[in-house]
Amino acid sequence: MDQAFWSYLFVGLSFSAYIGIALWSRAGSTDEFYVAGHDVHPAVNGMATAADWMSAASFLSMAGLIAFLGYGGSVYLMGWTGGYVLLALLLAPYLREFGKFTVPDFVGDRYYSTFARIVAVICALFVSFTYIAGQMKGVGVAFSGFLGIPFEWGIIIGMVIVFFYATLGGMKGVTYTQVVQYCVMIFAYTVPAIFISFIITGNVFPQLGFISNVRGEDVAMLEKLNTTLTDLGFAEYTSTNKSMFDVFAITGALMFGTAGLPHVIIRFFTVRNARAARVSAGWALLFIALLYTTAPAIGAFARLNFISTVNEATYIEGNIDEIDYEAEAAKIREAGGTPVPHWYKDWEKTGLLSYEDKNGDGVMQYRGPNAPDGLANEVDPNRDIFVLANPQIAGLPAWVIGLVVAGGLAAALSTAAGLLMVISSAVSHDICRRTLFPQMNDKTELRVARASAAGAVVAAGLLGLFASQLGFVAQVVAFAFGLAAASLFPIIFLGIFWTRMNKEGAIAAMLTGLITTFAYIFWFKFGGGTPEQYLFGVSPEGIGFVFMFLALGVGIVTALLTSPPPQDIVELVEDIRVPGTRQPHGIADQGMEPMKDASDGPPPAPAG
């Protein structure tokens, strides 16, 4: 049985499970659509959170990113891991105690202002759409590799599938689908890593193989990789071209951005209470660690295998479906050459691998900018394909390759669905029901939620096509984290831990963080800015961390220069910091009138 059989078998089984869950868990109320009825077990929610967290950026892009950036790519690993710990310990339990299941809802009630809620909706949509652009690019990569079709068609097919189970089951369907997706992902990620680690180092544990000697040689695997790269003109794998401050800023942006991500925060409202949210966070961290500790090893193994199979290989012209590959490869071997590997030709038709014969010798030269032999680089691989292509590069059994394909598709779809729920709730709940149409009933809101999710799917697909111009998946996602760090984290943090923070300070902080960070990213990606012009030497991926402190400062100064919040808001903030003192209010009170600004009179007392 060949690779295609196993790929279709694993993908078919996993997708049957996704669709079956969507039909079984069809949401019948906004309570189920938004927060899965608040009755998800903490361990189950931890697994779903891990799937939500291990997006296309983690599963598809992070190992490829580390493969090419080496030590410099570790900022993504450190930032995302540290950020989740920060969110789980510092913010999630208090937000769950407050009881509002969306960030704009928290902002609107904590800062007693409809306008603040609207600004928070704008920030949440900016973050979510930027994030989902990277996820949909991952969807395109996964489906194009699976079906052997152009990247653009891969995105369209992924849109249709996400549309089905996200709009039908809502958060209830997404939660249980993500549990299955996590199981598929973790097996798909670790099984090939075990195989490849054993082949290269003789150690079945990738985490240990990463620091072991090459099998049969008295040389460390990382040392051999360093030597291989420098011989071809690349920088050492264990070095980085980023400044220390830029590394620190990117790590900080990812950490604090995590704590402001709406699609992660909403997961803590699918459990019963704040205690369950803490337990759920612990489970999620355990499930996430299984993948994150494996990623550096996969990245290093992938880079070594890619070089050994592609560099100095003789190229075979033509589409893999239109040529007799084995016959052409045999001719090259008879002439004493090494043919381009079959896996390369398979991926080439997706448009994610390219080769340009610059010296006309028909041999593929893979070189860095400082190649000792003076040859130019002729091979341009897309970094996002390496986890999916890794088993093929290493020559693993066909069933392992099929398993990885199913895992890649699961990763690409899981976070996209979670983000769609955030966008849907922002439009239907925060804008429509809580702001524009306060008399809207539950049934109408559910219809609006499904319609907005459908519209978000289409918009996400278009953004996925656009994201291919921004960079690799993890880089696009990093922009979303920067926006979240600068715009949402300051007002969530101050809203929980500083009773003096008021609506004017919150609005000023959000606008400052969003505008400055977005303008910086836009300028250096589309406006002609050059690295020499970076502020403090900080790249667009890390600038959110710098502007986060600007937003915090602006928010604090504005709050001190304006009227303090009402006394009942002060008491509310003090209450949510003491677990169990307050009955969380959530879906049950969503029909209440939107809170008025202080200028319209004192706000109503919070429910509970």
Side-chain angles (χ1 to χ4, degrees), residues 471-555:
F472 43 88
V473 173
Q475 188 180 45
V476 178
V477 167
F479 298 148
F481 280 78
L483 289 168
S487 63
L488 294 177
F489 175 78
I491 51 100
I492 295 174
F493 177 76
L494 292 174
I496 294 172
F497 295 103
W498 192 38
T499 58
R500 181 62 176 78
M501 188 64 175
N502 61 10
K503 65 174 182 177
E504 291 85 2
I507 293 168
M510 285 187 288
L511 291 176
T512 298
L514 179 67
I515 293 170
T516 54
T517 305
F518 181 79
Y520 192 91
I521 293 171
F522 187 87
W523 169 250
F524 286 104
K525 284 298 172 183
F526 305 104
T530 62
E532 292 74 24
Q533 298 173 317
Y534 284 169
L535 181 66
F536 307 127
V538 177
S539 60
E541 293 87 343
I543 198 61
F545 179 69
V546 176
F547 289 143
M548 178 188 76
F549 288 100
L550 176 64
L552 279 167
V554 169

Side-chain angles (χ1 to χ4, degrees), residues 127-141:
V127 171
S128 297
F129 273 116
T130 304
Y131 201 145
I132 207 169
Q135 300 309 314
M136 293 308 292
K137 187 188 176 197
V139 168
V141 171

Side-chain angles (χ1 to χ4, degrees), residues 78-212:
M78 294 185 295
W80 283 329
T81 305
Y84 185 79
V85 175
L86 178 70
L87 171 63
L89 297 180
L90 190 65
L91 301 182
Y94 303 110
L95 290 172
R96 183 64 186 87
E97 188 78 6
F98 188 85
K100 292 302 181 181
F101 70 95
T102 70
V103 171
D105 225 4
F106 167 79
V107 171
D109 283 11
R110 164 60 181 87
Y111 294 110
Y112 51 96
S113 169
T114 298
F115 184 64
R117 175 184 281 109
I118 293 173
V119 175
V121 168
I122 293 171
C123 292
L125 290 177
F126 260 90
V127 171
S128 297
F129 273 116
T130 304
Y131 201 145
I132 207 169
Q135 300 309 314
M136 293 308 292
K137 187 188 176 197
V139 168
V141 171
F143 275 98
S144 62
F146 168 49
L147 298 173
I149 57 178
F151 165 75
E152 293 77 12
W153 279 104
I155 286 184
I156 293 171
I157 293 172
M159 285 168 54
V160 174
I161 294 171
V162 173
F163 168 81
F164 181 80
Y165 73 78
T167 58
L168 189 63
M171 181 57 78
K172 185 177 179 181
V174 167
T175 295
Y176 292 103
T177 299
Q178 286 176 335
V179 170
V180 177
Q181 287 171 332
Y182 175 81
C183 296
V184 174
M185 277 191 283
I186 202 64
F187 277 105
Y189 206 79
T190 56
V191 169
I194 290 170
F195 270 94
I196 297 171
S197 179
F198 184 73
I199 291 171
I200 295 179
T201 69
N203 197 317
V204 295
F205 297 103
Q207 296 87 343
L208 298 178
F210 180 64
I211 56 175
S212 299

Side-chain angles (χ1 to χ4, degrees), residues 24 31 61 83 139 207 235 264 322 350 408-409 495 578:
W24 163 75
D31 191 21
S61 188
V139 168
Q207 296 87 343
V264 177
E322 300 171 355
T350 68
L409 295 175
V578 183

